[in-house]
Amino acid sequence: MTERDLQAPKDAATAVRSAESRPAVMFDVAKLAGVSHQTVSRVLNGSPNVRPATRERVLRAVDELGYRPNAMARGLVSRRSKVLGVVSFDTVLYGPASMLLGIERAARAAGYGVSIVTMEQVDRAGVLAATNTLVDQGVDGIVIIAPQLATAGALRDLPDRLVAVAVEAGQDIGLPSASVDQIEGARLAVRHLLDLGHRTVWHIAGPNDWLEARDRMQGWRETLHAVDASVPPIIGGDWSARSGYEAGLVLAAQPDVTAVFAANDQMALGLLRAFAERGIRVPADVSVVGFDDIPEAAYLSPPLTTVRQDFDEVGRRSMRTLLRLLEADGANHEPAPPPVVPTLVLRESSAPPAQR
């Protein structure tokens, strides 16, 4: 072995360490050694089914990175842990929080425990760090809730043999994905308002870096185009009631507004407050439709017409897909489950436009 051969792993190890200021995890060892994380696990647990040259390469990477194997992961080489990992992010938003609960319910119904890791940063590095943590815990498979562009993009960089399913991560991400048909949900809301007789529908959109917000915007726009209705300028929000309130003040100054589709119920709530302060009656003057069907939606004034997502069904579909992948030892021959179709919940905030 030449001096150059000995130096190469050290240079690679330095590059791995400098990528992120955190302790080395099994994925780092696998990357440096050029093997799968399953091979690293077999080496660390003394499995005889590893070629000597591969074993030496893995052990050298362990030494270079100063990797300290997780005791739980070492004990799970020859059997299933019956624990599934979930990567999520810190949020009080109803939709993502309910999605997480639906996944946890489905896992427990299938006889699995759940280990949840919250991303410290909602970006590519955050996804990879959270996934590494779960791999080191020895989970059987991972569900990743990735509704933002930055997090969804990170899924393409996950190890090929990682058994994982994404939720609300869009298309062409390299993983099976479970989702709600957000475009159809928006169509339901806008069609309802157009069928009531409104000439067009204004839209308060969610943040542009959220895939769900983009899909709801697309559904809104396509539905208006389909009937040759005018497409008003989009008013941007950030999912909060405050942003809905601020959008409502803008809309209240537009005399031609008769119908508004808010991309979530929290923004619709703020919109209702702004309209009430400006003396605009809902639905006598302006109809409002939200999205999510939060528990409070039926008790707003007026009760809110909205689009309901079946988060429990998303959890069940993601879990079925993950368990089938586990049965196939990670071989991804499983087609992605079809999107869950949302439903329109009719209440008192929508009505035909007043005659003017």
Side-chain angles (χ1 to χ4, degrees):
M1 183 176 292
T2 67
E3 183 178 349
R4 182 177 180 181
D5 293 331
L6 291 172
Q7 185 63 35
K10 294 182 179 180
D11 294 340
T14 301
V16 170
R17 284 197 200 96
S18 63
E20 295 185 47
S21 56
R22 55 167 173 74
V25 294
M26 192 179 293
F27 276 168
D28 297 327
V29 176
K31 182 177 181 180
L32 182 58
V35 298
S36 69
H37 75 271
Q38 289 92 343
T39 298
V40 174
S41 182
R42 284 194 288 270
V43 170
L44 295 175
N45 286 273
S47 171
N49 300 320
V50 181
R51 289 182 298 177
T54 301
R55 184 185 307 279
E56 181 181 352
R57 196 161 69 247
V58 169
L59 293 175
R60 189 165 59 242
V62 168
D63 182 59
E64 291 293 334
L65 292 170
Y67 172 63
R68 299 180 62 185
N70 180 280
M72 178 182 174
R74 286 200 305 269
L76 297 175
V77 176
S78 61
R79 59 184 173 85
R80 292 272 178 91
S81 68
K82 298 300 288 184
V83 175
L84 299 175
V86 179
V87 174
S88 186
F89 56 97
D90 187 15
T91 181
V92 296
L93 293 173
Y94 175 76
S98 299
M99 195 79 70
L100 178 60
L101 181 60
I103 292 167
E104 185 175 11
R105 284 173 175 161
R108 295 194 185 284
Y112 280 80
V114 177
S115 178
I116 300 171
V117 174
T118 301
M119 288 181 279
E120 294 184 3
Q121 302 170 191
V122 184
D123 57 13
R124 177 183 176 278
V127 171
L128 297 178
T131 305
N132 282 338
T133 298
L134 290 168
V135 168
D136 272 5
Q137 291 178 8
V139 298
D140 290 339
I142 298 176
V143 177
I144 304 172
I145 303 175
Q148 289 140 311
L149 288 174
T151 53
L155 302 183
R156 300 184 185 93
D157 298 328
L158 295 176
D160 292 338
R161 289 187 59 79
L162 179 68
V163 181
V165 172
V167 174
E168 293 296 350
Q171 304 298 317
D172 302 323
I173 56 172
L175 290 179
S177 178
S179 63
V180 172
D181 192 336
Q182 306 290 339
I183 295 175
E184 179 59 22
R187 287 175 179 152
L188 290 172
V190 178
R191 281 198 208 109
H192 166 65
L193 291 166
L194 294 175
D195 289 346
L196 287 172
H198 296 276
R199 293 185 176 181
T200 191
V201 178
W202 291 67
H203 183 45
I204 304 175
N208 199 44
D209 62 338
W210 281 65
L211 296 164
E212 293 168 327
R214 290 187 170 205
D215 284 351
R216 294 171 196 177
M217 192 187 312
Q218 178 182 339
W220 162 76
R221 184 180 287 111
E222 288 179 352
T223 307
L224 293 179
H225 282 316
V227 296
D228 293 325
S230 62
V231 180
I234 290 172
I235 301 178
D238 62 8
W239 298 132
S240 70
R242 174 177 289 278
S243 69
Y245 174 81
E246 292 169 351
L249 297 179
V250 173
L251 290 168
Q254 304 284 339
D256 58 337
V257 174
T258 67
V260 181
F261 164 46
N264 77 337
D265 289 349
Q266 281 90 350
M267 292 193 297
L269 186 157
L271 174 69
L272 292 176
R273 170 68 182 271
F275 279 173
E277 289 183 358
R278 292 297 186 269
I280 295 173
R281 299 167 299 165
V282 176
D285 300 321
V286 179
S287 288
V288 174
V289 176
F291 204 110
D292 280 340
D293 194 26
I294 61 175
E296 299 83 3
Y299 302 96
L300 299 178
S301 182
L304 183 66
T305 295
T306 186
V307 176
R308 176 183 295 158
Q309 305 185 74
D310 190 342
F311 297 111
D312 283 342
E313 180 59 22
V314 174
R316 286 190 290 269
R317 292 189 188 187
S318 64
M319 201 54 49
R320 280 199 298 266
T321 302
L322 185 62
L323 295 179
R324 287 171 183 165
L325 287 172
L326 288 171
E327 291 170 2
D329 197 24
N332 187 6
H333 304 305
E334 188 70 25
V340 176
V341 179
T343 56
L344 183 68
V345 181
L346 297 177
R347 296 195 180 100
E348 298 171 28
S349 66
S350 54
Q355 298 298 319
R356 298 183 178 179

